[in-house]
Amino acid sequence: MVAPAFEYVAAGSYDEAVRLLADGGDEAKILAGGQSLMPMLNLRLAHPELLIDINRADGRQPSVAGGVLRLPALTRHRVLLEHELVRRHCPLLAAAARHVGNVRVRNRGTVGGSLAHADPTSEIGSCALATEAEVVVRGPGGERTVPASGLFAGYWTTTLAECEVITDVLIPGARPRQGWSFHEMVQRTSDFATVAVAAMVELDERADTIAATRVALAGVADRVVLAAPELLAGLAGAALGGGGPGGGAPGGGAPGDGAPGGGAGDAADAAAARIAASLEPPTDVHASGDYRRRLVRVLTARALREAYARAAGAA
């Protein structure tokens, strides 16, 4: 397939990109890594008249200030894997990045582009929800900050205004007594996620019991979703056992029900079952809704136990 004809402009700054977007209106699109946009152009699913390349707009690297990890929007997925600040302050994101596409995609794709594309199977999007990330966007009226929980509106749709561009992603740094886990099921390496689960668990300061939990899921709705707090309420005060880090790789064949862990571990199973029951995953050529729901139950229980084990220092 051949992309339709379009005009190309390389913006030297985000302000210039915003101005070009305003001038181009509905017929203008931002080009960052291009790993989602270019296939859509070649398949003629998108046909903009103007492509605005922002790769020259920013040359910053990840940084940390005030306990917050700042990722410039043009941070490549490969950098998420390799950068020491990312690995130290948001290991969940570093771990999830290795599941993004293949080497070519990771070398070119960007964290801001992934969030703006709003793919419902996005590893980066699910991690943004699990870590309570915020997105800094710039438009004709200046800058504003959008919580990741308020960014995704539906299939490949965000709440950004037409002339707004993502410039940064802000992620609270990892804290003591906090653990993480990411699990994903794909049919083949580099495929889109059938289901992905990102979990964060924080323990009480004085006991190895859970004080706070966040679980985000991809591949189960028209956007990445965050499990409702009431579905996780049964984990408060629990101490999870069984199925620690590395227990039961989710990628090999059809998953089983996971190690029950006995007693304390049942809180993870119960929370995972509540989350799965609350969802109505889509059925498509890749998987049925019922299969996706079972994956949610199995992978969520594994992720909760693994995140708990990391928080308790067992990893």
Side-chain angles (χ1 to χ4, degrees):
M1 300 293 288
V2 179
F6 54 82
E7 183 181 356
Y8 169 88
V9 178
S13 67
Y14 283 121
D15 288 335
E16 182 182 2
V18 169
R19 179 181 58 78
L20 291 168
L21 272 177
D23 292 343
D26 293 341
E27 303 305 322
K29 290 286 185 184
I30 291 291
L31 174 66
Q35 298 308 293
S36 297
L37 179 59
M38 297 313 296
M40 294 179 72
L41 287 173
N42 288 336
L43 292 170
R44 306 225 168 188
L45 297 175
H47 39 82
E49 294 182 0
L50 174 65
L51 278 191
I52 304 167
D53 188 339
I54 61 171
N55 282 276
R56 301 177 188 174
D58 191 1
R60 295 171 299 149
Q61 291 293 310
S63 61
V64 174
V68 175
L69 174 65
R70 178 180 290 267
L71 299 175
L74 290 175
T75 302
R76 311 289 175 183
H77 299 313
R78 174 181 55 81
V79 174
L80 300 179
L81 276 166
E82 300 173 354
H83 203 287
E84 178 61 25
L85 288 180
V86 180
R87 295 168 66 90
R88 185 190 313 158
H89 294 277
C90 191
L92 171 66
L93 189 58
R98 72 182 180 89
H99 295 274
V100 176
N102 51 38
V103 172
R104 174 182 58 79
V105 171
R106 292 192 291 271
N107 280 340
R108 292 299 306 163
T110 66
V111 61
S114 180
L115 294 175
H117 184 55
D119 192 307
T121 67
S122 170
E123 294 90 353
I124 305 302
S126 60
C127 289
L129 290 179
T131 57
E132 300 183 85
E134 295 181 325
V135 175
V136 180
V137 301
R138 186 174 304 176
E143 284 191 346
R144 67 185 180 103
T145 302
V146 181
S149 58
L151 179 65
F152 307 109
Y155 284 112
W156 305 290
T157 306
T158 70
T159 58
L160 299 182
E162 289 184 359
C163 298
E164 287 185 323
V165 181
I166 296 176
T167 63
D168 295 272
V169 180
L170 308 178
I171 302 176
R175 298 185 292 273
R177 310 285 287 168
Q178 190 178 62
W180 58 272
S181 179
F182 184 86
H183 283 275
E184 176 177 281
M185 172 65 81
V186 294
Q187 291 185 331
R188 299 168 302 178
T189 300
S190 84
D191 275 0
F192 294 106
T194 304
V195 166
V197 179
M200 298 290 293
V201 169
E202 188 162 4
L203 303 187
D204 185 271
E205 293 182 358
R206 294 177 296 276
D208 285 348
T209 56
I210 294 176
T213 312
R214 288 175 71 88
V215 173
L217 305 108
V220 299
D222 64 349
R223 69 200 78 179
V224 289
V225 296
L226 189 66
E230 58 267 24
L231 301 176
L232 300 167
L235 291 168
L240 305 184
D257 292 337
D266 290 344
D269 293 323
R274 288 193 296 270
I275 292 171
S278 73
L279 298 170
E280 291 293 337
T283 292
D284 54 31
V285 296
H286 304 293
S288 68
D290 287 340
Y291 181 65
R292 282 191 166 95
R293 193 177 294 107
R294 185 183 180 198
L295 281 177
V296 168
R297 180 167 58 83
V298 173
L299 298 185
T300 299
R302 291 179 184 174
L304 287 170
R305 292 192 182 97
E306 185 172 73
Y308 174 87
R310 284 195 170 102

